[in-house]
Amino acid sequence: MKSNTAFSSISEGFASFIGRLEGRDLPQLTLATKFLCEAVNNGHVCLDLDALVQGGSQVQGELLETFGLDGELQPNWSVTEWAEQLRSTKVVGPPGSFHPLILDESNRLYLYRYHAYEQALAQGILTRSEGFRVTGLASLSGKLDDYFEADDEGETNWQNVAALLAATRPFCVISGGPGTGKTTTVVKILALLLEMAAVQPLSIALAAPTGKAAARLKAAITKAKGDLPCSKEVLSKIPEDVRTLHRLLGTVRNSPSFRHNAKNPLPYDVVVVDEASMVDLPMMAKLVLALPDHARLILLGDKNQLSSVEAGAVLGDICQTGSETDYSMEMQKTLGPFLGLTDEAFSLEEKTGPGDSLVTLQKNYRFDATSGIGRLSIAVNAGLSKEAMGLLNDTATTDVKWLECPPENQIRNVLKQHILNGFTPYLEAICAEDALAKFNNFMVLCALRNGPFGVSTITPFAEQILAEQGLIQPESRWYKGRPIMITTNDYNLGLFNGDTGILWPDDSPEKSLRAYFPDPNGQLRSLAPSRLPAHDTVFATTIHKSQGSEFDQVLLLLPSHDTRALTRELIYTGVTRAKSEVEIWGKKDVFSLALQRRVQRTSGLRDAIWQADNVYT
């Protein structure tokens, strides 16, 4: 295969290592190993040889563009020949074997540990998707009316459906966009479960991927508990302590391993994880492996959001995003009288399976029918570019706006007033707590890291603009008001990729500068700036990094040219970070192309969960 690809030094080194293990120079192995390493670094779980060779796929295009290939990939061998050569080596084995690389029957090539993660997660989900726990079903059904208001006649109450599934299934996924009531629903579910288990109280754990997401979940649960129609005793048993997944599983000093695992399971009966779309494959697999057999797992998230920054698109694969999922006949027989669903909601599939664990909340309680953000997010998610652009250009819709991309040499001037209006309030705050709260008023979200509309350009512009007004003094990297985002996991400090904080003087007479971060328990934690792990200044951030956050106002910057990084999920995630107003800068043709393109992450998880003859049997 001829190519002039510029692979990373890591890929080159790993391919060289695998070649030494094999003990011979095999071009098919060398190239496959390099592509696999690059694929994993770009969020894929494995390398699909078929897609890479046959061409025409989005995945292939992303890979070739990432690797800087000049022209089309031109193989000197077929996929069959390539796969046969790989299988003839001593470093590549089939699923179930112990080899550095795993090649399955669908010609997907994995690093061993990623195949193991995928297998463990798929098997855990399938095991927890079997059967129903129907003890006390009549009592549960009777209590639902107390917790959930009846919807309009003829409409399905999806919160009611979610409660029934979560109470009768060991595994449940509650998906929905911002404002659909995911947190409110799960708090009511916990109250119902506690009432049903009054004799033997449940042990419940609440978790989220990042500290910021954990803090948001805690605040939402505390608020939702105030409206529950249950006794004070039940109310007191609903926890408000929310931990990051790292804290929940128990980090081990100087190790990526966790204290809780299959041999030392978590001590909980119910585990709830919010912002599940942000959870990557290794973390989700480790969580499922650490669950005791009797425990319930409830995932909350938006299946239409971007996938995790790291490898995998776990929530999308579990929910089979992009496909219709019906409930089984077994579920109809078991729960039908209580669900209020029409016959069309059920398939001809008799046996219960993963589909019976999924529910999507559809009624929006944050945005009414006239909300521009709500309608725009629906249009973007459906790929309706004309409708979306119509909303953005409608002067009567005040909470969504569009600005045609300004010329590159005018970006700073056009950006100036937005930066001053958005960031001045937090920089004039009286304390670190107030500053962190006001920092969530506004954020610049960029589709790309580099380029004239990317984070690497906008953040320095913002610093210059704020410094010119005397709001910050960035003579050194440590200055009052500097917003920071952690870019790597530090298990010793308990700071993880995506955690956001602010440098601010403490209350001591010396007014020493400290780095403050929101604690999941609603408090602030701080440390000396010199102890911070790798981090970035975050006056602007990528849409990817904004997941798990919400801001009152969002300025969303798209590049002036099309790129494969622009997808429907990217735009949807950016728009739905805004609570009250979003303004988008871009080109109409680029925006339209983005809405026609969907994220594709290569993995075998979807097949393993949803195909009758899954890849692990």
Side-chain angles (χ1 to χ4, degrees):
M1 179 177 292
K2 61 180 181 179
S3 70
N4 62 347
T5 55
F7 291 101
S8 69
S9 58
I10 293 176
S11 298
E12 295 282 359
F14 183 66
S16 178
F17 170 71
I18 292 294
R20 290 196 299 272
L21 289 181
E22 174 61 20
R24 58 174 172 149
D25 183 15
L26 186 65
Q28 290 91 338
L29 177 63
T30 300
L31 191 61
T33 306
K34 291 179 182 180
F35 271 121
L36 172 59
C37 194
E38 295 287 351
V40 171
N41 287 338
N42 282 276
H44 301 284
V45 174
C46 56
L47 176 69
D48 187 337
L49 297 181
D50 290 347
L52 188 62
V53 172
Q54 292 170 3
S57 77
Q58 180 181 330
V59 172
Q60 186 214 37
E62 288 175 352
L63 287 171
L64 302 186
E65 184 177 280
T66 299
F67 307 150
L69 189 71
D70 183 16
E72 290 296 318
L73 188 65
Q74 298 177 14
N76 294 325
W77 52 81
S78 67
V79 174
T80 301
E81 291 170 334
W82 197 354
E84 286 178 353
Q85 285 291 330
L86 293 177
R87 291 190 175 99
S88 72
T89 68
K90 61 184 179 183
V91 294
V92 178
S97 67
F98 187 70
H99 290 79
L101 305 177
I102 301 296
L103 183 62
D104 69 14
E105 293 302 315
S106 297
N107 293 327
R108 288 182 288 240
L109 184 67
Y110 294 80
L111 298 172
Y112 172 82
R113 66 188 180 99
Y114 277 91
H115 186 268
Y117 288 142
E118 187 175 276
Q119 181 179 28
L121 179 55
Q123 291 178 337
I125 290 172
L126 289 171
T127 299
R128 292 175 181 277
S129 297
E130 298 174 353
F132 296 87
R133 299 176 181 178
V134 295
T135 303
L137 184 56
S139 173
L140 168 65
S141 177
K143 294 178 182 295
L144 288 175
D145 291 340
D146 296 332
Y147 285 91
F148 298 100
E149 296 180 2
D151 275 354
D152 295 336
E153 187 174 351
E155 292 188 6
T156 299
N157 187 329
W158 290 105
Q159 290 190 342
N160 194 329
V161 174
L164 277 165
L165 295 189
T168 58
R169 303 280 284 174
F171 174 64
C172 181
V173 179
I174 303 174
S175 179
T180 52
K182 297 186 294 293
T183 305
T184 302
T185 300
V186 83
V187 171
K188 293 177 180 180
I189 289 169
L190 295 179
L192 285 166
L193 291 175
L194 286 165
E195 286 196 40
M196 294 173 64
V199 178
Q200 187 176 359
L202 298 174
S203 176
I204 300 171
L206 305 173
T210 66
K212 175 177 275 192
R216 281 184 53 214
L217 178 60
K218 175 184 171 60
I221 285 178
T222 301
K223 180 180 178 181
K225 283 176 65 175
D227 298 325
L228 291 180
C230 60
S231 67
K232 291 183 178 179
E233 182 181 3
V234 169
L235 204 62
S236 67
K237 293 176 182 177
I238 300 175
E240 294 182 13
D241 178 36
V242 184
R243 283 169 281 186
T244 63
L245 286 169
H246 293 88
R247 282 185 59 208
L248 176 70
L249 293 173
T251 56
V252 178
R253 192 177 184 85
N254 298 321
S255 171
S257 300
F258 293 110
R259 184 162 50 87
H260 290 291
N261 49 45
K263 295 181 180 179
N264 180 33
L266 290 162
Y268 300 108
D269 304 306
V270 181
V271 175
V272 177
V273 179
D274 194 19
E275 296 289 354
S277 65
M278 297 174 61
V279 184
D280 58 41
L281 174 67
M283 179 62 79
M284 191 69 82
K286 291 175 183 179
L287 172 64
V288 170
L289 284 170
L291 292 173
D293 291 341
H294 73 278
R296 301 176 191 271
L297 175 62
I298 302 175
L299 302 181
L300 308 178
D302 188 344
K303 64 181 181 180
N304 296 310
Q305 263 190 217
L306 278 169
S307 307
S308 58
V309 175
E310 304 299 333
V314 175
L315 189 66
D317 285 341
I318 292 173
C319 294
Q320 205 175 198
T321 302
S323 302
E324 293 295 326
T325 301
D326 297 322
Y327 297 124
S328 71
M329 296 302 292
E330 182 178 343
M331 179 168 157
Q332 185 180 37
K333 294 175 184 177
T334 307
L335 301 179
F338 309 104
L339 289 170
L341 297 175
T342 62
D343 290 341
E344 287 73 20
F346 299 93
S347 68
L348 298 178
E349 183 68 36
E350 291 192 9
K351 188 177 180 181
T352 186
D356 289 348
S357 293
L358 312 179
V359 62
T360 301
L361 304 182
Q362 299 173 18
K363 183 176 180 179
N364 201 299
Y365 298 88
R366 178 186 300 171
F367 305 121
D368 60 29
T370 63
S371 161
I373 295 177
R375 288 187 291 159
L376 179 61
S377 66
I378 292 172
V380 168
N381 187 41
L384 303 175
S385 56
K386 289 184 178 180
E387 288 81 350
M389 189 55 65
L391 285 167
L392 288 165
N393 288 321
D394 186 354
T395 55
T397 309
T398 58
D399 56 342
V400 296
K401 300 176 183 177
W402 173 268
L403 179 69
E404 197 73 12
C405 265
E408 293 180 13
N409 60 0
Q410 295 181 22
I411 294 174
R412 188 183 184 280
N413 290 336
V414 180
L415 191 65
K416 181 176 180 179
Q417 202 56 50
H418 289 79
I419 294 297
L420 292 176
N421 292 344
F423 292 127
T424 297
Y426 99 84
L427 291 169
E428 293 180 343
I430 58 175
C431 63
E433 185 175 13
D434 187 34
L436 276 170
K438 290 180 178 178
F439 184 69
N440 289 326
N441 290 351
F442 171 78
M443 181 51 64
V444 181
L445 301 184
C446 303
L448 305 177
R449 173 161 292 279
N450 299 313
F453 289 87
V455 172
S456 61
T457 298
I458 301 303
T459 290
F461 279 173
E463 280 193 310
Q464 294 167 12
I465 292 167
L466 295 170
E468 288 169 359
Q469 299 297 313
L471 293 166
I472 61 173
Q473 298 177 348
E475 286 79 12
S476 73
R477 62 187 307 220
W478 310 126
Y479 59 85
K480 175 185 175 181
R482 181 188 173 206
I484 53 177
M485 178 179 286
I486 303 301
T487 59
T488 187
N489 294 334
D490 190 313
Y491 297 93
N492 295 326
L493 292 176
L495 290 174
F496 303 101
N497 190 1
D499 285 349
T500 303
I502 292 177
L503 299 188
W504 204 265
D506 63 16
D507 294 331
S508 68
E510 296 77 18
K511 297 295 181 182
S512 300
L513 206 61
R514 304 279 292 178
Y516 288 89
F517 294 87
D519 185 270
N521 292 318
Q523 306 298 316
L524 290 187
R525 55 174 304 205
S526 71
L527 68 158
S530 60
R531 298 184 63 201
L532 286 169
H535 59 277
D536 290 331
T537 303
V538 67
F539 286 115
T541 188
T542 61
I543 298 173
H544 266 99
K545 289 284 190 177
S546 74
Q547 292 185 87
S549 301
E550 283 186 344
F551 307 95
D552 289 337
Q553 297 178 317
V554 163
L555 176 59
L556 181 57
L557 305 186
L558 306 180
S560 57
H561 62 280
D562 186 38
T563 170
R564 293 182 185 276
L566 294 179
T567 64
R568 184 184 307 180
E569 291 86 352
L570 188 82
I571 307 299
Y572 173 83
T573 302
V575 168
T576 55
R577 296 312 88 202
K579 294 169 64 177
S580 59
E581 182 180 311
V582 60
E583 181 172 332
I584 302 177
W585 294 9
K587 297 285 188 182
K588 293 180 181 179
D589 58 336
V590 173
F591 181 78
S592 178
L593 287 170
L595 265 56
Q596 306 314 309
R597 186 184 294 121
R598 304 211 67 156
V599 169
Q600 291 186 29
R601 287 273 179 94
T602 304
S603 83
L605 183 61
R606 184 176 296 211
D607 287 352
I609 294 173
W610 290 97
Q611 287 188 2
D613 298 323
N614 82 68
V615 297
Y616 303 122
T617 59

